Amino acid sequence: MITAYVRLEVRRTLRDAGFVISTIGVPVMMYLLFTNLGDGDDGAYKKAAMVGMAAYGALGAALSLGTGVAEDKSTGWLRQLRITPMTPRQVVTGRALTGSVVVLPAITGVLVAGGLANGVRMAAWQWGAVAVTLWLGSLPFTLLGLGNGYRLTAQTTGVVNVACNLGLAVVGGLWFPVVLFPDWLRTVSELTPTNRFAELGVAVTEGTAPGAATLVVLLGWAALFGTYAAVSYRRSARTV
Amino acid sequence: MTKDLRNEPAIAFRAATRTFGTAVRAVDGIDLTVRRGETVALLGRNGAGKSTAIALLLGLDEPDSGRVELFGGTPDRAVAAGRVGAMLQEGRPVPRVTVHELVAFVARTYPAPMPVAEALALAGLGELAGRRVDELSGGQTQRVRFAVALVGNPELIVLDEPTAALDVEARQEFWHSMRGYARRGNTVLFSTHYLEEADAYADRIVVLDSGRILAAGTSEELKRAAGGNLVSFDLAGGPTEWLGLLPGVTSYEVRGDRARLRTGDSDGTVRALAERDAVRRLEVTPVSLDDAFLALTQSPLTTLETVR
């Protein structure tokens, strides 16, 4: 039942041209632009930026899922789902799984651009590991997007998601390396889920295991956003 | 204590109330039982509380007081068991899915659905299966909603103003399929503000106004309850104050020069009129369902004056 639901929602998401362009096209373009503006041929930067942008793409895709949820609320689709035998838990789980499916193209898009256009070289297992860690690491953002979608109207969800997206991306150092930040901002940055999210990927590209602190921070955010999504859904259930 | 669940009614409202804000009693103490296999119409104007009653019965909303039961249990349980299908009124079509994808998905969520092709055929969607739902016309969208309600093969089907966007022909086709579905022993509850639909397709009509049930019964019973006959005649400029005092008259209405008296005793009324020589173009007709509905729902201060 859930798989049927996930299949339907994934189809619906990937048919949304706006979604595909903004979550796959934009990170790939930004990556190629940022890494090829300077005339230097800094392989390390290209690799780090690749992971950062793949993370950014995943973040955007995960969050914009919330926009889809808010849209479903306004069209009455969520209401129709509630009178099918699917339980609310199955609906939310299905939506979260959809999120994890649709972040994949964003991640692979940037990785492919890094490997083919920018000549980033890594061991085969590292490519796989980067993709998988970024994929799993995007869960907190999927939950944040879902929470926004269930709680807010379609329009506010869009605005809030963009704010979350830009704020978390910039402060977390997905656009510019954290080393350029002043000390205080670097401290803040290390507490953001986005920073730790990118660090997951960086650790893998460097062939090391991610630190315990990174996992703790990410799991903490996942728990927080998960609760937010659950509470928001329960609240919306009354009004949906 | 064991209950034989097979004998429980399909729908039971027990003193159910739902208030919005502090003032609006959308549903104000409804008591209603719908037996299995019955087709019941909820009839009322816009804002009468039909949609709120339906939301309560589908478990989309909960009553502030009282209870709503489906098949002897909570609405949530009946919905989760796949015994209920519904066609909701509001909302736009689901974006970016085809008719077949949507209906097939809904079928998958039910334990014992009918074949998707059968549901599409019943709803008259056979040729539109591959089309995207958000590219269909209003009437076609309505048929998609019908297919979605039907495909799970539920015992109870709930339709909130199902024919609102349909033209006359589509409306007849719709009711044809609906009847077919009801004839299989299924229970149907639909809301409408079309009297003819309630009259033609429901076994029983429940008249709802301001969140209360004003009357319930077959259309014959409703007509009788509203005062059996209408006596009308030309006033020819005569006075009107005495009309309400005539024997049998329950209410009257003056339109232009014509007086229309609703009466429970048409013989007595006509005799009294004859005594006063007020029989110009006199006519005695049975009350139509329209009149019955108006008599039941209209407040005395509007065009209709109620005596007693």
Side-chain angles (χ1 to χ4, degrees):
Chain A
M1 202 188 284
I2 289 190
T3 47
Y5 180 50
V6 172
R7 212 175 314 133
L8 184 85
E9 293 294 3
V10 167
R11 268 194 200 141
R12 289 187 51 216
T13 310
L14 295 182
R15 275 179 197 158
D16 184 350
F19 176 87
V20 172
I21 291 169
S22 64
T23 59
I24 304 172
V26 170
V28 169
M29 264 169 41
M30 280 173 68
Y31 169 62
L32 292 176
L33 201 67
F34 287 2
T35 50
N36 291 298
L37 276 182
D39 47 7
D41 199 22
D42 188 347
Y45 174 55
K46 284 182 174 169
K47 195 193 278 183
M50 177 181 78
V51 175
M53 270 304 152
Y56 171 67
L59 168 69
L63 280 176
S64 51
L65 199 74
T67 318
V69 169
E71 184 194 49
D72 288 352
K73 203 164 56 179
S74 71
T75 57
W77 175 230
L78 282 188
R79 216 173 149 85
Q80 185 72 48
L81 281 174
R82 283 190 59 201
I83 49 175
T84 68
M86 285 219 296
T87 63
R89 188 188 299 266
Q90 288 171 319
V91 172
V92 178
T93 311
R95 256 308 190 178
L97 288 174
T98 308
S100 52
V101 175
V102 299
V103 297
L104 269 179
I107 296 171
T108 36
V110 177
L111 294 188
V112 166
L116 295 184
N118 274 358
V120 175
R121 293 286 169 262
M122 286 191 295
W125 70 267
Q126 278 178 316
W127 285 106
V130 169
V132 170
T133 35
L134 286 182
W135 181 47
L136 293 177
S138 66
L139 179 69
F141 309 108
T142 305
L143 295 172
L144 174 63
L146 283 182
N148 287 341
Y150 284 125
R151 172 158 305 223
L152 310 168
T153 66
Q155 279 165 338
T156 25
T157 302
V159 175
V160 170
N161 278 346
V162 168
C164 287
N165 189 345
L166 293 184
L168 287 173
V170 171
V171 177
L174 298 190
W175 284 17
F176 310 104
V178 187
V179 283
L180 300 177
F181 289 0
D183 281 348
W184 66 269
L185 190 56
R186 211 181 300 176
T187 317
V188 175
S189 180
E190 278 167 9
L191 290 173
T192 59
T194 29
N195 178 274
R196 298 296 177 159
F197 178 40
E199 204 180 302
L200 269 188
V202 171
V204 176
T205 56
E206 287 166 357
T208 57
T214 299
L215 293 180
V216 168
V217 171
L218 274 179
L219 286 176
W221 283 104
L224 186 72
F225 290 150
T227 312
Y228 173 59
V231 169
S232 300
Y233 180 78
R234 225 170 290 150
R235 262 179 57 140
S236 75
R238 285 223 131 229
T239 51
V240 162
Chain B
M1 204 173 73
T2 51
K3 277 199 272 189
D4 183 0
L5 290 179
R6 255 168 295 175
N7 289 330
E8 293 287 339
I11 301 172
F13 283 85
R14 310 233 185 275
T17 318
R18 179 74 176 103
T19 311
F20 294 109
T22 49
V24 187
R25 296 207 131 185
V27 166
D28 192 0
I30 288 187
D31 274 298
L32 174 67
T33 307
V34 176
R35 292 184 308 275
R36 297 190 187 193
E38 237 187 331
T39 297
V40 171
L42 274 187
L43 181 64
R45 56 184 98 227
N46 290 330
K50 304 188 295 284
S51 291
T52 307
I54 284 177
L56 290 179
L57 109 84
L58 293 173
L60 291 171
D61 199 354
E62 279 173 21
D64 300 319
S65 65
R67 274 181 308 149
V68 180
E69 291 184 346
L70 298 185
F71 302 106
T74 63
D76 283 348
R77 207 173 71 181
V79 167
R83 304 176 79 172
V84 184
M87 185 169 164
L88 299 175
Q89 183 191 355
E90 84 290 338
R92 286 168 284 141
V94 195
R96 301 182 300 277
V97 278
T98 68
V99 172
H100 188 273
E101 283 167 357
L102 179 65
V103 176
F105 158 69
V106 173
R108 285 280 302 274
T109 66
Y110 280 84
M114 63 172 74
V116 175
E118 187 186 339
L120 292 179
L122 264 173
L125 286 167
E127 284 162 20
L128 300 172
R131 293 272 299 278
R132 281 204 7 197
V133 174
D134 46 2
E135 288 166 356
L136 301 177
S137 74
Q140 291 167 333
T141 307
Q142 201 74 344
R143 284 191 248 163
V144 173
R145 292 206 180 104
F146 182 46
V148 163
L150 207 68
V151 71
N153 212 3
E155 293 163 67
L156 166 66
I157 197 162
V158 178
L159 311 158
D160 197 359
E161 308 220 348
T163 57
L166 302 183
D167 58 35
V168 178
E169 200 179 326
R171 200 169 280 181
Q172 278 177 350
E173 277 172 32
F174 172 86
W175 286 115
H176 181 74
S177 339
M178 194 65 257
R179 267 190 160 164
Y181 195 74
R183 229 176 273 131
R184 300 182 189 182
N186 295 307
T187 312
V188 179
L189 178 106
F190 67 93
S191 73
T192 181
H193 50 242
Y194 295 115
L195 293 153
E196 321 86 71
E197 286 190 351
D199 198 5
Y201 303 107
D203 302 327
R204 196 149 63 94
I205 301 172
V206 175
V207 180
L208 211 58
D209 196 50
S210 309
R212 292 163 192 263
I213 292 178
L214 294 180
T218 63
S219 62
E220 288 312 311
E221 285 167 348
L222 290 188
K223 288 171 198 169
R224 234 176 290 139
N229 289 294
L230 268 185
V231 174
S232 45
F233 65 97
D234 283 351
L235 284 164
T240 57
E241 313 81 54
W242 52 277
L243 294 175
L245 305 173
L246 291 167
V249 171
T250 53
S251 67
Y252 70 91
E253 185 188 18
V254 177
R255 265 188 216 160
D257 193 41
R258 199 149 174 87
R260 282 151 54 89
L261 315 176
R262 197 181 308 280
T263 171
D265 173 17
S266 50
D267 292 353
T269 308
V270 169
R271 224 174 286 128
L273 285 173
E275 279 164 19
R276 292 165 195 247
D277 196 25
V279 289
R280 271 170 297 271
R281 290 180 55 222
L282 184 89
E283 222 176 3
V284 180
T285 48
V287 171
S288 71
L289 188 59
D290 257 310
D291 289 314
F293 178 70
L294 282 177
L296 287 166
T297 59
Q298 221 137 25
S299 70
L301 293 175
T302 53
T303 57
L304 203 78
E305 270 182 54
T306 310
V307 190
R308 286 203 288 234

